[in-house]
């Protein structure tokens, strides 16, 4: 998916093996630069996800399971590469103040990796920690992670998976807090409200669920009420 910061958008190139930066200040909008991944195997494969850390700092997840970091002031090859997953890296988000990133992948693991203040070559990432997704006892679905999001207050993270579940985690330590069951197909998107009191989850079952006051920022208590909208 494309993502923008100010007047620049990033999106996959035509064959999805590079990042294309599009300058929206030009009329019509034009490609400003191409960003190239570091290949840890024969090739990095397809670009799977993108996340801006700031105006000049970009994270990209790749089919080979790596998270790579780009300095947009010097477009070209990635300035850092972290081999986090054994399967395609499907989603990425960063916590407040961009001190760490969380990734999800098809290998049934979440990874939290510290982000170094200066994204110099070879020093863009710290040592990652991993949280496995427990297997379910159902015949369909598995622990692949399709979506991750860190709550704006930096206390909770949410993940959405192939197993139709939304999971809540204590941010950074990735301690499991809750499992939310509502959807009947893969959960493809999760996001928190700006006030940190609501969580929305979107699924391939064509519904969006709104979860109210889950581990609220004010009280720390968990709510149960869910409103559902069907598309």
């Amino acid at each position: 998916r494309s993502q923008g910061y100010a007047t620049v958008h990033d999106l996959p190139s035509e064959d999805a093996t590079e990042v294309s930066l599009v300058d929206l200040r030009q009329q019509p909008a034009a490609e400003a630069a191409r960003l190239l991944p570091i290949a840890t195997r024969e090739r990095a494969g397809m670009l799977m996800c993108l996340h801006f850390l700031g105006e000049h700092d970009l994270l990209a997840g790749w089919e080979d399971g790596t998270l790579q970091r780009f300095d947009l002031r010097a477009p070209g090859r990635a300035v850092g590469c972290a081999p986090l997953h054994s399967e395609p890296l499907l989603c990425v988000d960063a916590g407040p103040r961009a001190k760490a990133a969380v990734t999800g992948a098809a290998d049934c693991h979440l990874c939290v990796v510290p982000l170094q203040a200066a994204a110099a070559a070879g020093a863009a990432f710290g040592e990652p920690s991993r949280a496995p997704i427990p297997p379910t006892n159902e015949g369909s679905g598995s622990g692949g992670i399709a979506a991750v999001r860190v709550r704006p207050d930096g206390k909770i993270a949410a993940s959405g998976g192939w197993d139709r579940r939304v999971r809540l985690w204590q941010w950074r330590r990735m301690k499991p807090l809750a499992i939310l069951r509502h959807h009947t197909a893969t959960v493809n998107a999760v996001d928190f409200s700006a006030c940190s009191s609501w969580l929305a989850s979107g699924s391939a079952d064509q519904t969006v669920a709104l979860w109210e006051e889950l581990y609220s920022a004010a009280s720390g208590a968990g709510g149960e009420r869910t409103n559902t909208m069907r598309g």
Side-chain angles (χ1 to χ4, degrees):
R1 79 183 166 88
S2 66
Q3 186 178 15
Y5 194 95
T7 57
V8 177
H9 268 252
D10 56 20
L11 64 159
S13 60
E14 292 87 347
D15 61 359
T17 60
E18 301 173 355
V19 181
S20 176
L21 294 181
V22 177
D23 190 345
L24 301 182
R25 293 169 294 188
Q26 300 186 35
Q27 295 297 326
E31 182 177 83
R34 287 284 180 103
L35 307 179
L36 306 177
I38 298 170
T40 57
R41 303 174 189 174
E42 184 177 342
R43 56 193 294 269
M46 294 180 62
L47 174 63
M48 308 301 293
C49 55
L50 295 160
H51 181 77
F52 271 105
L53 293 172
E55 187 175 2
H56 304 297
D57 208 349
L58 177 68
L59 296 176
W62 297 85
E63 187 179 6
D64 66 354
T66 61
L67 180 67
Q68 305 203 23
R69 192 170 179 182
F70 296 89
D71 184 346
L72 304 188
R73 293 165 296 188
R77 192 70 65 177
V79 297
C81 178
L84 301 180
H85 297 278
S86 60
E87 297 288 342
L89 195 159
L90 302 178
C91 50
V92 59
D93 194 26
R97 296 176 295 282
K99 291 185 176 181
V102 57
T103 62
D107 63 0
C108 309
H109 282 78
L110 286 170
C111 283
V112 175
V113 56
L115 299 171
Q116 306 293 4
F125 301 105
E127 188 68 26
S129 58
R130 291 174 173 81
I133 303 298
T136 65
N137 58 1
E138 301 171 9
S140 60
S142 61
I145 303 300
V148 290
R149 189 69 74 214
V150 181
R151 203 167 70 177
D153 65 4
K155 296 181 179 180
I156 303 293
S159 66
W162 298 352
D163 60 3
R164 307 178 296 280
R165 290 162 171 78
V166 176
R167 297 174 186 269
L168 298 182
W169 308 80
Q170 184 183 45
W171 173 232
R172 294 299 294 269
R173 295 184 179 181
M174 298 310 288
K175 175 184 176 181
L177 297 176
I179 300 175
L180 311 180
R181 296 177 175 88
H182 170 78
H183 294 291
T184 60
T186 296
V187 179
N188 292 315
V190 290
D191 205 355
F192 290 98
S193 63
C195 64
S196 296
S197 294
W198 290 81
L199 170 67
S201 56
S203 169
D205 64 11
Q206 300 184 7
T207 67
V208 175
L210 298 177
W211 308 86
E212 185 180 16
E213 295 181 354
L214 291 160
Y215 291 89
S216 73
S219 66
E224 297 271 336
R225 192 166 73 185
T226 307
N227 297 321
T228 304
M229 298 179 292
R230 181 175 295 275

